[in-house]
Amino acid sequence: MKRRQLLQALGVSAAAWPLAGCDRLVLLDRVEGGVLTPITPIGQFYVYQVREPPSFDPEAHAMTLRLDDEVLREITPADLATLTPRDVELTLQCIGHSPSVVRIGNAVWGGLPLREVVEQLGVAVPEAAVGLRLVGMDDYDAGVPIEAPLWLAWRMNGEPLPFDHGAPARMLAPGRYGVKWIKWVREIAYVTTPHESFWTPLGWDEEAFNQPNTLVVMPLDGERLMPGERIAFVGAAFSGDDPVVSIEASVDGGPWAPAQIDYAAGPNVWAIWSWFWEAEPGEHDIQVRAMTKSGRETSPNPLGEDVFRGYDGSMQIRITV
C-alpha cells in the first residue's frame, strides 16, 4: 500500500467517539524497513481545536499573567525573544484518540518550563496559588494543579511554532492529554481556587492523565495479504510519564509474543515497535498490548475501558490472508 493510501485510511473514520479538545490526524511517516519516524514532521502533525481558529496577529499578541483576576504583567513576543529556549521531546495525544480516530504525534518542542519563564520575567509564583487557569485566544480553557510541570513553547521541530499549533506560544502539559495543552495562549492565571476545565461538565476527566494504549499503523484493519508472506506489523505505544517498556502481539487470542521496541526516548515519549509474522491462510485477529515501567498494562478490551478518561486499550486489527 502506498504511503498516501495509508494516511488516507488512517484519517477517515465513520465510527468516531466523542472528541474533546486537543490538537486532526497524525500522519505516522514510514521509513526504510517499515519503522515509524520518531519525530512527526510539522506538516504531518495532527491539528484539532474545539472552535474555529482565532483571528489575530501573533506578532502583536500579548499573554496576560494574572493572580486570579489581578493582572501581574503581560508577556509579549518581544519578551519571549529575550529568553533562550530549550528543546524537550514530548508526545501529544488527544483524549479523544482511539483506533478509529488517530490523534497522536511526537515533536521536539522549543521553550522553557513555565515557572522559569515567569521568574525570568521578574514575577514570583504567588504562594497562595493552588492551580492555574489557562485560556486560549479561541476562548478554550483548562485548569491544572500548581504542581503540574507545564512548559511554554514557541518553537516546534527547530522552527517557529506554526499558527495551527498555537503561535505565538502554546502550553505543554507533559503526562496529560491534549485537553491541557492550550494553544494561542491568551491568559495564564494563578488561581487560589481550582479552575474547572472546559470539558469537565460534559463528563471528561478533569485530571486528564495519559493512559497506556497501543496503536497498530500497518497493516491496516481489513487489509488482505498474500499467504506465505513475512508480514511486518508496525505501530506505537504511549503511556505519558510512565514509559512503555514491553510490547507483545497475539494472533487469534493465542500466546503473546514479544515485539521489538525500535524507539523509546523515555517518559512522555511514545515507543515505536515492530513485529513480524509468517502469514497463514484465513481471517485473523491480531492484538497488541503494552506494559509500562510501573507495571500497568493496556486493557484487553480493544476499545478501552472508559472513553472519558482517554483510550487505554490494546488495539486489535483483522486481516485476511
Side-chain angles (χ1 to χ4, degrees):
M1 176 170 286
K2 293 182 179 179
R3 178 174 173 272
R4 183 181 67 255
Q5 294 171 305
L6 170 66
L7 301 180
Q8 289 173 340
L10 281 173
V12 178
S13 171
W17 276 348
L19 300 179
C22 30
D23 258 27
R24 194 170 101 178
L25 165 71
V26 61
L27 306 191
L28 296 169
D29 212 11
R30 293 168 58 189
V31 296
E32 201 65 34
V35 180
L36 300 180
T37 301
I39 305 301
T40 310
I42 291 176
Q44 299 175 354
F45 206 106
Y46 82 99
V47 178
Y48 179 76
Q49 55 269 335
V50 178
R51 301 186 173 96
E52 289 296 316
S55 178
F56 69 100
D57 180 3
E59 295 184 2
H61 175 65
M63 296 172 279
T64 303
L65 188 65
R66 300 175 184 270
L67 171 59
D68 289 328
D69 293 324
E70 175 192 351
V71 175
L72 300 178
R73 70 160 291 165
E74 292 189 332
I75 304 174
T76 67
D79 290 323
L80 296 181
T82 68
L83 305 176
T84 302
R86 298 198 300 270
D87 286 343
V88 58
E89 184 179 348
L90 296 172
T91 297
L92 171 60
Q93 186 173 46
C94 181
I95 199 170
H97 166 97
S98 75
S100 59
V101 184
V102 179
R103 288 189 172 124
I104 185 172
N106 190 52
V108 176
W109 309 89
L112 289 171
L114 177 61
R115 184 175 289 268
E116 289 187 27
V117 172
V118 170
E119 290 176 351
Q120 288 191 41
L121 295 178
V123 177
V125 175
E127 292 184 4
V130 299
L132 293 101
R133 178 180 70 236
L134 308 172
V135 186
M137 286 295 291
D138 58 351
D139 291 329
Y140 178 76
D141 64 90
V144 292
I146 192 67
E147 66 271 13
L150 300 176
W151 280 62
L152 188 67
W154 54 95
R155 296 184 66 79
M156 181 180 183
N157 290 353
E159 302 179 16
L161 186 70
F163 183 81
D164 282 350
H165 292 285
R170 76 172 301 161
M171 201 64 65
L172 314 179
R176 299 174 192 261
Y177 285 109
V179 287
K180 306 294 187 181
W181 295 47
I182 299 293
K183 298 193 292 185
W184 310 297
V185 177
R186 183 183 77 204
E187 174 183 292
I188 302 168
Y190 291 98
V191 292
T192 53
T193 301
H195 175 73
E196 184 179 68
S197 301
F198 178 92
W199 284 107
T200 301
L202 298 178
W204 295 86
D205 183 47
E206 173 63 40
E207 296 289 350
F209 289 120
N210 291 117
Q211 304 299 314
N213 61 91
T214 61
L215 172 66
V216 182
V217 174
M218 58 177 288
L220 296 174
D221 185 36
E223 190 168 348
R224 299 184 67 89
L225 306 170
M226 295 298 294
E229 287 187 16
R230 187 169 186 258
I231 306 302
F233 291 79
V234 177
F238 184 56
S239 189
D241 53 17
D242 185 11
V244 170
V245 295
S246 173
I247 299 169
E248 298 176 311
S250 171
V251 179
D252 298 328
W256 291 96
Q260 176 175 308
I261 296 180
D262 301 299
Y263 181 78
N268 297 307
V269 176
W270 63 9
I272 294 175
W273 57 267
S274 59
W275 179 71
F276 295 87
W277 177 63
E278 299 292 337
E280 301 174 359
E283 192 172 71
H284 301 284
D285 291 324
I286 288 83
Q287 188 172 26
V288 178
R289 70 181 183 184
M291 179 179 287
T292 71
K293 184 177 181 180
S294 73
R296 292 192 299 163
E297 290 189 2
T298 50
S299 167
N301 183 347
L303 297 180
E305 298 299 323
D306 182 357
V307 61
F308 291 101
R309 294 187 65 234
Y311 178 60
D312 65 350
S314 302
M315 184 172 168
Q316 180 174 291
I317 64 170
R318 177 166 293 181
I319 60 172
T320 301
V321 180

